[in-house]
């Protein structure tokens, strides 16, 4: 007989949600972690980043109101900001472990690897379960170029004692945009280098271009269509070069060219679990090629290409807790999922993109709204606020939106509810929202 009903491998947001969900339904469950309890998001991802970003928001809001009632701009004190971040992150691993212990979820610390016959090796122990959930997440990709040993990663950035005077990010995905925004607000010189001229490719490119213009105006330098081939150390600095005539000297170089799934050295070949480039291959019930092994969160190559984000991993954890305790046998059904890049301004998206909407005028209407002079934005002195809303032509419900403003995250969250509930303008108008707020603007977006 197996030691557990379910063993979860990886104690990030997805694995933890699965473990607590299974426990609540009476399953005997254990969880394995080889690094920091709590995983990427609270230790080296979303939460520490958002703490550092708080200073950016404060500075930005004060800049908006310069000459409109405020004088004197606040400045970032990096060591104090980092201490604020560490006050939070230092408690995460212990707090997470204590929570699991007091809930009576068994914990194993060490690297997990599948052996033949569906057994799991953790350090020098072997444990067994009827079912397993792989929730091992991703790690930063390091570009395989000459001098790659000089690269630092987002994990290093989020724990820097001192911020270097000049910082270079190679790869213009959401991590680069966010960390560059923080670096710039803290007063350092920033470069983002990208191999093509199509950064943040999941987002509406007209809004991305506007975002790039805004970031350039703040002093962030973008070098597009540059394919970096080498990093050389030069005293305390680094020289990054392509194979043509691009050369840049910088104090620190970060690889922000994507993230790769943690699938190696898990012994997946021993248990017949197949993988794709984006991670573990699963079906619509998150089941792998092995009938007793499931996968969730960032490590999964999702059938529908849903974004790799914390709330998606937790959603899948709750889904699998129901599935594995026979509460439901239905395939996973995701709601429409929002995605935000915390730059200045923020850019956010959900649902059908304006490009798809414009390309299919029989089915969709795309509304381009400049919100800059709307009361919510005028009030704070915001210089630029835009949104592109996609409406279903027949039902006149909102099916997609992208936004660029300091409150794009709030707006997109309200629209998440409107979209997922398929609310019409009349239904939205039945709500009474506090006024004047981003929520009370909603009826004017239809
Ligand atoms: C800089 C940064 C900023 C981000 N910002 C946001 C944001 O603003 N919003 C958002 O929603 N998402 C954000 N994310 C993404 C978010 O962190 C992930 O989507 C989320 O953590 C995924 O959860 P997970 O449980 O799938 O994996 P993880 O959180 O990565 O947890 C996986 C765990 O498995 C462990 N593990 C791996 N292999 C083994 C093994 N063989 N044995 C035992 N343990 C193992 C790892 O140590 C890790 O603790 C950010 C990520 C980064 C890096």
């Amino acid at each position: 007989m197996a030691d557990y009903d379910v063993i979860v491998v990886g104690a990030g947001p997805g694995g933890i949600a699965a473990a607590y969900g299974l426990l609540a339904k009476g399953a005997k469950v254990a969880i394995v972690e080889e690094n920091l309890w709590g995983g990427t998001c609270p230790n080296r991802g979303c939460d520490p980043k958002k703490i550092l970003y708080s200073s950016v928001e404060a500075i930005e809001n004060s800049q908006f109101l310069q000459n409109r009632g405020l004088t004197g701009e606040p400045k970032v004190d990096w060591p104090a900001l980092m201490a604020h971040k560490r006050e939070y992150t230092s408690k995460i691993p212990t707090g997470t472990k204590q929570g699991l212990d007091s809930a009576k979820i068994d914990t194993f610390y060490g690297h997990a690897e599948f052996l033949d016959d569906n057994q799991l090796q953790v350090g020098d122990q072997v444990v067994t379960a009827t079912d397993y959930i792989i929730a091992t997440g991703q790690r930063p990709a390091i570009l395989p170029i000459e001098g790659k040993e000089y690269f630092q990663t987002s994990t290093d950035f989020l724990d820097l004692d001192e911020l270097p005077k000049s910082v270079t990010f190679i790869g213009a995905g959401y991590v680069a945009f966010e960390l560059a925004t923080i670096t710039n607000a803290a007063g350092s010189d920033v470069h983002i280098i990208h191999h093509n001229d199509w950064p943040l490719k999941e987002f509406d490119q007209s809004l991305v271009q506007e975002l790039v213009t805004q970031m350039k105006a703040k002093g962030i330098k973008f070098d597009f269509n540059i394919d970096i081939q080498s990093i050389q150390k030069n005293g305390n600095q680094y020289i990054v070069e392509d194979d043509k005539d691009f050369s840049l000297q910088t104090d620190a170089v970060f690889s922000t060219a994507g993230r790769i799934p943690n699938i190696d050295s898990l012994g997946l070949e021993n248990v017949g679990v197949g993988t794709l480039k984006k991670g573990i291959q699963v079906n619509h019930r998150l089941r792998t090629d092995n009938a007793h092994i499931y996968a969730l969160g960032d490590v999964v190559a999702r059938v529908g290409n849903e974004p790799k984000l914390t709330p998606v991993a937790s959603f899948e954890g709750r889904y699998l807790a129901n599935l594995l305790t026979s509460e439901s046998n239905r395939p996973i059904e995701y709601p429409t999922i929002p995605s935000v890049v915390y730059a200045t301004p923020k850019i956010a998206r959900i649902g059908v993109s304006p490009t798809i909407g414009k390309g299919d005028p029989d089915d969709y209407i795309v509304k381009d709204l400049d919100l800059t002079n709307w009361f919510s934005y005028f009030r704070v002195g915001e210089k630029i606020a835009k949104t592109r809303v996609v409406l279903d032509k027949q039902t006149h419900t909102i099916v997609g939106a992208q936004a660029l403003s300091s409150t794009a995250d709030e707006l997109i969250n309200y629209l998440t509810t409107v979209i997922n509930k398929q609310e019409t303008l009349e239904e939205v108008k039945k709500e009474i929202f506090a006024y004047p707020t981003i929520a009370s603007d909603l009826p004017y977006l239809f």
Side-chain angles (χ1 to χ4, degrees):
M1 191 176 145
D3 302 325
Y4 294 96
D5 295 323
V6 184
I7 297 179
V8 182
V9 182
I16 299 259
Y20 278 106
L22 286 159
L23 180 81
K25 299 199 183 299
K28 191 173 180 214
V29 55
I31 189 162
V32 189
E33 175 55 54
E34 67 173 355
N35 189 352
L36 297 176
W37 296 97
T40 303
C41 182
N43 289 300
R44 50 180 178 270
C46 347
D47 296 350
K49 169 203 74 191
K50 197 86 190 274
I51 291 179
L52 300 183
Y53 182 80
S54 304
S55 65
V56 180
E57 281 174 313
I59 290 174
E60 198 193 21
N61 284 332
S62 107
Q63 280 171 347
F64 287 159
L65 287 170
Q66 295 296 311
N67 303 322
R68 289 171 183 253
L70 275 189
T71 53
E73 285 184 27
K75 283 204 166 10
V76 170
D77 172 348
W78 187 265
L81 181 61
M82 190 50 72
H84 175 46
K85 186 231 76 165
R86 286 178 182 152
E87 189 181 335
Y88 173 83
T89 49
S90 62
K91 296 181 188 133
I92 295 295
T94 323
T96 307
K97 172 77 165 58
Q98 278 168 355
L100 292 165
D101 290 343
S102 48
K104 305 227 174 325
I105 294 172
D106 282 357
T107 59
F108 293 88
Y109 189 71
H111 180 77
E113 187 174 345
F114 285 100
L115 306 172
D116 296 342
D117 301 333
N118 283 9
Q119 300 200 86
L120 193 73
Q121 171 121 34
V122 186
D124 51 15
Q125 278 181 286
V126 174
V127 277
T128 57
T130 308
D131 294 305
Y132 295 91
I133 298 174
I134 303 173
T136 49
Q138 299 189 106
R139 63 182 182 278
I142 300 288
L143 278 174
I145 59 170
E146 188 193 328
K148 64 179 189 302
E149 63 275 20
Y150 299 127
F151 269 129
Q152 298 189 72
T153 67
S154 54
T155 306
D156 302 311
F157 181 94
L158 293 171
D159 206 29
L160 285 173
D161 289 329
E162 280 177 36
L163 189 64
K165 285 204 166 50
S166 73
V167 175
T168 300
F169 297 96
I170 305 209
Y174 81 94
V175 172
F177 271 72
E178 295 181 339
L179 302 187
T181 299
I182 294 166
T183 310
N184 170 260
S188 291
D189 189 44
V190 194
H191 278 259
I192 298 180
I193 303 176
H194 196 55
H195 63 105
N196 59 34
D197 55 2
W198 194 19
L200 299 180
K201 59 180 186 300
E202 313 292 340
F203 286 79
D204 179 73
Q205 285 300 299
S206 67
L207 294 183
V208 172
Q209 286 315 313
E210 185 65 56
L211 171 62
V212 168
T213 304
Q214 296 299 314
M215 290 173 72
K216 279 183 180 169
K218 292 185 172 74
I220 296 176
K221 288 144 196 127
F222 286 86
D223 300 291
F224 290 125
N225 296 312
I226 300 287
D227 208 355
I228 292 301
Q229 296 295 325
S230 67
I231 310 173
Q232 288 156 46
K233 199 160 175 19
N234 183 24
N236 288 333
Q237 291 198 299
Y238 301 92
I239 301 170
V240 293
E241 289 182 330
D242 69 356
D243 57 3
K244 298 190 183 105
D245 49 12
F246 180 87
S247 181
L248 175 74
Q249 186 139 322
T250 181
D251 291 336
V253 198
F254 291 86
S255 181
T256 45
R259 295 176 54 72
I260 45 174
N262 292 323
I263 48 178
D264 27 11
S265 66
L266 262 174
L268 296 181
E269 60 290 353
N270 297 333
V271 282
V273 171
T275 60
L276 300 166
K277 194 169 166 233
K278 286 193 172 173
I280 294 178
Q281 192 170 359
V282 293
N283 67 12
H284 285 97
R285 288 181 177 79
L286 301 182
R287 209 179 77 189
T288 69
D289 300 333
N290 181 317
H292 290 284
I293 304 182
Y294 296 76
L296 64 73
D298 277 12
V299 76
V300 170
R302 294 193 175 100
V303 179
N305 228 4
E306 285 77 15
K308 296 194 171 189
L309 295 169
T310 291
V312 186
S314 314
F315 181 88
E316 292 174 338
R318 295 190 294 274
Y319 166 80
L320 279 183
N322 285 336
L323 187 84
L324 295 180
T325 51
S326 307
E327 188 107 324
S328 157
N329 188 33
R330 286 167 50 174
I332 190 161
E333 251 178 74
Y334 297 93
T336 312
I337 302 165
S339 195
V340 178
V341 178
Y342 297 94
T344 47
K346 294 172 189 133
I347 187 166
R349 70 180 169 97
I350 183 160
V352 179
S353 75
T355 311
I356 291 192
K358 283 264 181 212
D360 187 357
D362 292 341
D363 289 328
Y364 301 114
I365 302 165
V366 179
K367 274 181 81 172
D368 285 311
L369 296 164
D370 188 341
L371 311 173
T372 320
N373 290 319
W374 288 30
F375 181 75
S376 301
Y377 306 87
F378 168 80
R379 168 185 82 84
V380 293
E382 190 156 2
K383 302 280 185 305
I384 180 114
K386 291 185 172 181
T387 187
R388 305 193 77 192
V389 180
V390 185
L391 293 142
D392 181 291
K393 203 165 184 175
Q394 262 197 338
T395 59
H396 216 74
T397 50
I398 296 179
V399 290
Q402 306 229 0
L404 183 74
S405 73
S406 67
T407 45
D409 50 346
E410 275 183 54
L411 180 62
I412 226 70
N413 268 345
Y414 291 123
L415 288 175
T416 302
T417 304
V418 170
I419 290 174
N420 282 322
K421 291 192 169 162
Q422 299 175 356
E423 289 181 338
T424 60
L425 174 59
E426 285 63 39
E427 280 158 340
V428 170
K429 279 183 170 169
K430 281 185 193 152
E431 309 276 2
I432 297 182
F433 293 107
Y435 175 86
T437 58
I438 301 298
S440 61
D441 289 343
L442 281 179
Y444 306 101
L445 297 177
F446 281 80

